[in-house]
Amino acid sequence: DLTWEARGQGFFDSWNFLEWDANNGAAEYLNREQSFAERVVQADDTHSILRVGGRGAHLKRKTVKIQTQKSWKYFLAAIRLTHVPFGCGL
């Protein structure tokens, strides 16, 4: 199937929210419910937002790690970005 898309208010419906941190880094990954409650993710009709949250346990930053529920042998993505963060931490 070549027509998968994630958009609108249902943008995050086809994504898994992963909580494990294999690197034991400075991120505290939130599950789906926590992500929406903490406003780390947001989906509107015209756009979706992923942002960092406040401080979590052990001075880690609350954030999300998402993975599609679909997999492909080959993949080409077309995305439109209106804001990309920059600076330290990337």
Side-chain angles (χ1 to χ4, degrees), residues 57-85:
H58 308 291
L59 300 177
K60 294 185 175 199
R61 182 67 67 182
K62 294 180 181 181
T63 190
V64 295
K65 184 189 322 187
I66 59 174
Q67 175 187 52
T68 65
Q69 295 171 355
K70 188 172 174 72
S71 62
W72 300 266
K73 182 174 181 178
Y74 301 103
F75 179 75
L76 173 65
I79 60 173
R80 181 178 56 184
L81 303 171
T82 57
H83 175 74
V84 179

Side-chain angles (χ1 to χ4, degrees), residues 11 19 22 31 35-36 53-54 59 62 69 75 78:
F11 179 87
E19 297 180 66
N31 64 33
S35 298
F36 279 99
L59 300 177
K62 294 180 181 181
Q69 295 171 355
F75 179 75

Side-chain angles (χ1 to χ4, degrees), residues 2-38:
L2 298 176
T3 58
W4 178 80
E5 64 182 17
R7 66 169 34 194
Q9 291 187 3
F11 179 87
F12 294 104
D13 292 348
S14 57
W15 297 87
N16 295 320
F17 285 68
L18 308 176
E19 297 180 66
W20 55 269
D21 179 11
N23 299 318
N24 294 315
E28 179 182 332
Y29 296 112
L30 305 176
N31 64 33
R32 178 183 305 272
E33 294 76 23
Q34 292 169 325
S35 298
F36 279 99
E38 299 271 344

